[in-house]
Amino acid sequence: MKQILFSTLITLSSVPFLAAQDSRTVTEPTLPPVCTSLDAQLSISGRSLAPTDEDKLDTARIQQALDHCGKGQGVLLRTHESNNAFLSGPLELREGVTLIVDKGATLFASRNPAVYEKSSGSCGLVNDQGNGCNPLISAKHISGAGVMGDGVIDGRGGEKLLGKDVTWWDLAEQARAGGRQQVPRIIVTDTADNFTIYRITLKNSPNFHIVYNHGDGFTVWGLKIDTPKRGARNTDGVDPGAGSKNITITHSYIRTGDDNVAIKGSTGGVTNMTVSHNHFYWGHGMSIGSETYGGVSKIRVSDLSLDGPDNGIRIKSNGSRGGLTHDVVYDDVCVRDSPNPITLDTGYTAAGTVEGNSPPTMRDITLRDVRVSGGGKISFNGYAKDYRVAATLDNVLLTDAAPYTYAIHHADLIIGPGPSNLKLSGGVDSTLQGAPSNGKAASCSDKFVSFPKE
């Protein structure tokens, strides 16, 4: 393998007016030295694998290589002659070890629910039980591990399960009527400090693509997530949550069937996070929530394009899972053709009842140099008189004459120092400091770029 080293492109603290909240000094990762190279023994047929290859699992040899690799090194999955595919069930990363998928190679997730089940018959169905499936790749109680490379990991969420007439995504749709879809995720970490995702392409996860919990130090750089807009329910892109801190997501491209990024402030909360220099396409937007009961704070989002998402800038919670979200800044953001370009909402219903014993509050939220086009609904919806939404709008501008609607309840809004032409009058139990006015918006033309080709 040709070893590629990269010099630092930026220091994230260099963004004007926006102190990076990841307390680390984050630079572009490098691929580690390879301890073991594994040659592909399967070939892609169409966009997947031939039915006759579905029992030819590479799980054991990949896991054995990971188990015997030294810290600071990586296991490389590479093409060999006409073979370019690997097939695997659950894999566990080890201390300081990176899984590298080389350019041209694809790691396919098995379609057999039995290989993921935590107990007999627990995966590949809808029921009322807890999580019954192991992820494709896990990292537990280790540090310095990662997933890298210019290849692809395909979760195959839209393909039928072996021996069944449903896909993983069909199970997610069935769960709308009640119950939980028992399906795997692609990458799940728990207490994995200094974890790195670099340059890899993830596709078609049955559920969330990446989950990072209880960790200190998470870098996502050059990631591509490419999953359909419709029919891929609950396929969040990157979900930091549950007691995680010092997180950077940068130089990445994400389009998926649910939240592009969702900050899940459950037990332990999420803090010190930077989201910079990214491009999001279809999906449910740059989200915080719906869980905020553990608290979300010190979040900085800068240089972001959101092109055609269902939601753009979004903080969502409700009375059953709310807490304090504060010290959040969005700077230099362009939103185009979204039905809900700006949504700060405490009445989110998809994940629980609106009312409850855990009311949400959002304060110290700043939107700076935000440009919106294509129309849509703009919402600042506080929960109640004592649990409000408080936001500052500094140079927040609608850049076209498309129709916009507004929902404002229990909100305290400040315009300035830059202008905002949002029509914010008439809110219920709300206050407004400053008067709406027009301003000259910076162009977004260089921010909306095509999704990269493989």
Side-chain angles (χ1 to χ4, degrees):
M1 174 192 176
K2 181 180 179 181
Q3 189 67 34
I4 304 175
L5 301 178
F6 290 84
S7 62
T8 301
L9 294 183
I10 61 167
T11 57
L12 296 182
S13 60
S14 66
V15 179
F17 309 113
L18 193 78
Q21 286 302 312
D22 186 335
S23 66
R24 303 171 300 157
T25 298
V26 179
T27 58
E28 183 168 359
T30 59
L31 300 176
V34 173
C35 64
T36 302
S37 296
L38 300 179
D39 291 336
Q41 298 175 349
L42 304 173
S43 296
I44 296 175
S45 176
R47 295 185 177 181
S48 188
L49 293 174
T52 54
D53 287 337
E54 290 293 346
D55 61 349
K56 298 176 182 178
L57 291 171
D58 293 296
T59 313
R61 69 184 182 117
I62 298 174
Q63 188 63 60
Q64 183 179 33
L66 292 169
D67 292 346
H68 291 89
C69 194
K71 294 180 182 179
Q73 297 180 304
V75 172
L76 175 68
L77 308 185
R78 65 184 183 184
T79 62
H80 179 66
E81 297 178 347
S82 63
N83 295 327
N84 56 3
F86 295 80
L87 176 65
S88 185
L91 299 166
E92 295 184 10
L93 299 179
R94 302 305 184 199
E95 179 80 13
V97 175
T98 296
L99 178 65
I100 307 168
V101 184
D102 204 7
K103 185 175 179 61
T106 298
L107 173 61
F108 288 103
S110 173
R111 296 189 287 118
N112 183 0
V115 305
Y116 303 98
E117 60 188 23
K118 293 184 175 180
S119 61
S120 180
S122 66
C123 188
L125 71 164
V126 175
N127 59 26
D128 294 319
Q129 305 303 310
N131 184 8
C133 305
N134 288 302
L136 177 64
I137 299 170
S138 63
K140 301 177 182 177
H141 301 282
I142 59 174
S143 63
V147 178
M148 301 185 182
D150 294 311
V152 175
I153 301 176
D154 192 333
R156 309 172 84 191
E159 298 184 44
K160 289 185 178 179
L161 308 185
L162 297 185
K164 299 191 177 186
D165 195 31
V166 294
T167 69
W168 296 116
W169 295 340
D170 288 337
L171 296 178
E173 290 297 328
Q174 291 176 17
R176 290 183 187 274
R180 300 180 59 178
Q181 67 266 33
Q182 301 296 342
V183 303
R185 298 166 178 178
I186 291 184
I187 300 172
V188 176
T189 76
D190 187 3
T191 321
D193 295 344
N194 300 316
F195 191 81
T196 302
I197 302 288
Y198 181 47
R199 294 195 339 217
I200 197 74
T201 296
L202 305 182
K203 288 184 173 182
N204 305 320
S205 182
N207 196 254
F208 302 163
H209 287 76
I210 303 172
V211 175
Y212 185 78
N213 288 329
H214 306 112
D216 184 349
F218 178 37
T219 301
V220 177
W221 193 303
L223 168 70
K224 293 187 286 293
I225 293 180
D226 190 7
T227 292
K229 180 177 183 179
R230 304 301 180 200
R233 181 174 179 248
N234 295 146
T235 54
D236 289 13
V238 184
D239 285 7
S244 58
K245 62 182 179 179
N246 292 319
I247 300 158
T248 289
I249 301 173
T250 189
H251 291 89
S252 295
Y253 303 80
I254 301 174
R255 58 186 186 187
T256 188
D258 212 295
D259 295 311
N260 302 78
V261 167
I263 302 171
K264 304 281 192 178
S266 56
T267 303
V270 178
T271 190
N272 294 100
M273 179 170 172
T274 299
V275 182
S276 63
H277 313 302
N278 296 296
H279 300 281
F280 296 168
Y281 305 84
W282 57 67
H284 292 182
M286 176 61 236
S287 298
I288 296 174
S290 59
E291 302 94 330
T292 60
Y293 56 85
V296 176
S297 64
K298 298 182 180 179
I299 310 298
R300 298 293 182 267
V301 178
S302 66
D303 187 19
L304 172 65
S305 70
L306 294 134
D307 194 1
D310 291 342
N311 304 278
I313 294 171
R314 188 186 196 194
I315 306 177
K316 54 178 177 173
S317 193
N318 62 37
S320 68
R321 53 183 56 206
L324 177 60
T325 299
H326 71 110
D327 191 6
V328 180
V329 178
Y330 304 88
D331 182 270
D332 190 15
V333 178
C334 290
V335 186
R336 179 169 73 178
D337 296 337
S338 173
N340 303 282
I342 300 173
T343 301
L344 278 63
D345 186 21
T346 60
Y348 179 71
T349 59
T353 58
V354 173
E355 298 181 356
N357 297 319
S358 184
T361 297
M362 304 171 191
R363 68 170 185 248
D364 303 322
I365 312 298
T366 299
L367 280 66
R368 180 186 299 125
D369 293 332
V370 175
R371 290 88 81 196
V372 176
S373 63
K377 183 179 181 180
I378 294 172
S379 302
F380 296 95
N381 285 328
Y383 182 75
K385 180 179 180 181
D386 296 326
Y387 300 95
R388 306 176 68 82
V389 167
T392 297
L393 311 179
D394 177 7
N395 205 32
V396 178
L397 297 169
L398 311 178
T399 64
D400 62 3
Y404 294 89
T405 60
Y406 299 84
I408 304 172
H409 301 83
H410 309 299
D412 301 305
L413 305 175
I414 300 173
I415 295 176
S420 173
N421 59 2
L422 275 61
K423 297 179 180 179
L424 300 172
S425 61
V428 176
D429 183 29
S430 298
T431 66
L432 175 63
Q433 296 183 37
S437 63
N438 289 314
K440 184 177 181 180
S443 174
C444 289
S445 60
D446 62 340
K447 292 189 179 294
F448 294 117
V449 300
S450 300
F451 192 90
K453 296 181 179 179
E454 292 180 21

